[in-house]
Amino acid sequence: MTSAAEHRPIRLLIHGANGRMGRAVRRIAATDARFEIVGIVSRATPEMRVVDGIPFFAASELPAVPEFDVAIDFSLPEAFDGILGECVKRAAALVSGTTGIDDAQRAALESASSKIPLVWASNFSLGVALLHQLVETAAARLPGWDCDIVESHHVHKKDAPSGTALTLGAAAEASGAKPHYASLRAGDIVGEHLVQFTGQGERIELIHRATDRDIFARGAVHAAAWLQGRPAGRYKMADTLSDL
Ligand code: NAD
C-alpha cells in the first residue's frame, strides 16, 4: 500500500520509550530510513529535553508533541488511554503492544478503530502468529482433550496471565477447547508460551520461546510502516505478515 506521505519519512512517535520495549523500538526505528522519530514520550519529565535532535516529553505533555503519522506504544495500562486518545485526536495510526488493558480499554480500542488504522497485538512475533494457527487447528481436531497454557516471563512483568497467553487461549476457546492457565515469573525470561493438549495416554506440546525482545520491536516497527495509508480499522499482526 502506498504511503500518504510517499516522499517523506513516516513521522513516528514512540510512547513508553524508556522501558525495555521502548528502548528496543527506539534503537531499531533510528536506523530505519522509512521513519523519522519526531518525539519520545516517557512517564516522568525527561532529564534531557533533546537527544540526537529528537525531543523528549513527559506523559503529561502528550498534547504538545509534534505532528506524527503513527505512534508505537509499549507502556502500561494506565498510560494507554492517553496515547489512544491522542492518536484519534490527530487522526494518526497506532501500533500498541501494551498488555493488561481492561474491558473498557478494549472497547475504546474497538471504537477508535472506526476512526484510525491500528494494530494492537499481545505479541508482535512472527512465530507466535503461526502458533495461533497451530493452536486453532489442534483445538478443533482434538475435541475433549485438556488444554493448558503455561507462560513464563521475567520477574518484572506485572500482568498475568500474559496478554499472549490470553490471546492464544481465546483462539483455542473459539475452536472448542476450554483452556486453563498457569504463569511463572522467573529471572530474565523474555517470554515462553507452552500450549499443551492432553488426551488419554498422549500429549501434544506446542511451545514458542522468545530469546530476544528485538523480535517484538521489529514486528511493531514493521506494523507501523504497514499501516501507512490504510483506511481506519483494527488490523491483526497476521494481516501485516503477507508483506514480510
Ligand atoms: P517496562 O516496565 O520496561 O516499560 C514500561 C514503560 O512505560 C516505562 O518506560 C514507563 O516509564 C512507561 N510509562 C508508564 N506510564 C507512562 C505514561 N503515563 N506515559 C508514557 N509512558 C509511561 O515494560 P516493557 O517490558 O517495556 O513492556 C511494556 C509493555 O509492553 C507491557 O505491557 C508488556 O507486557 C508489553 N509487551 C508487549 C510485547 C508485544 O509483543 N506485544 C512484548 C513485550 C512486552
Side-chain angles (χ1 to χ4, degrees):
M1 168 126 337
T2 39
S3 160
E6 218 167 350
H7 300 299
R8 61 165 168 75
I10 301 164
R11 295 169 301 178
L12 173 66
L13 182 77
I14 303 178
H15 186 255
N18 283 340
R20 281 170 287 265
M21 283 305 304
R23 285 197 303 269
V25 170
R26 277 161 65 179
R27 182 166 36 75
I28 287 164
T31 57
D32 188 327
R34 292 172 297 178
F35 293 95
E36 175 194 2
I37 303 174
V38 295
I40 300 266
V41 184
S42 49
R43 178 174 22 206
T45 305
E47 278 173 30
M48 306 265 282
R49 279 298 179 176
V50 179
V51 178
D52 295 335
I54 302 169
F56 278 56
F57 300 87
S60 57
E61 298 166 335
L62 197 50
V65 300
E67 283 306 306
F68 58 95
D69 300 307
V70 59
I72 296 182
D73 162 61
F74 283 95
S75 59
L76 298 176
E78 57 264 37
F80 180 76
D81 298 348
I83 188 61
L84 181 65
E86 202 59 37
C87 287
V88 170
K89 200 169 95 191
R90 312 268 191 127
L94 173 65
V95 173
S96 176
T98 298
T99 62
I101 58 173
D102 63 22
D103 289 347
Q105 290 173 312
R106 283 175 190 280
L109 191 67
E110 205 55 54
S111 141
S113 71
S114 65
K115 302 185 186 94
I116 57 168
L118 58 86
V119 176
W120 178 89
S122 54
N123 195 304
F124 279 98
S125 95
L126 175 62
V128 166
L130 179 64
L131 181 60
H132 275 107
Q133 294 172 11
L134 299 174
V135 166
E136 278 168 3
T137 303
R141 301 267 181 97
L142 303 170
W145 287 39
D146 289 325
C147 173
D148 294 279
I149 301 178
V150 183
E151 57 97 352
S152 309
H153 283 88
H154 53 87
V155 293
H156 304 291
K157 183 166 178 64
K158 294 198 172 115
D159 53 316
S162 68
T164 304
L166 293 171
T167 314
L168 288 167
E173 218 167 328
S175 301
K178 290 188 175 55
H180 295 98
Y181 300 90
S183 299
L184 300 177
R185 296 289 172 265
D188 63 351
I189 299 172
V190 172
E192 293 186 8
H193 292 88
L194 162 69
V195 185
Q196 177 174 288
F197 291 89
T198 311
Q200 295 302 313
E202 55 183 327
R203 183 163 77 207
I204 290 177
E205 295 177 346
L206 300 169
I207 185 159
H208 178 269
R209 291 191 180 93
T211 53
D212 181 352
R213 56 176 53 84
D214 276 12
I215 58 167
F216 309 126
R218 272 197 297 272
V221 167
H222 162 72
W226 185 89
L227 276 181
Q228 289 313 294
R230 305 262 164 199
R234 182 164 175 186
Y235 299 96
K236 291 190 188 133
M237 196 48 199
D239 297 328
T240 77
L241 295 181
S242 54
D243 287 6
L244 268 179

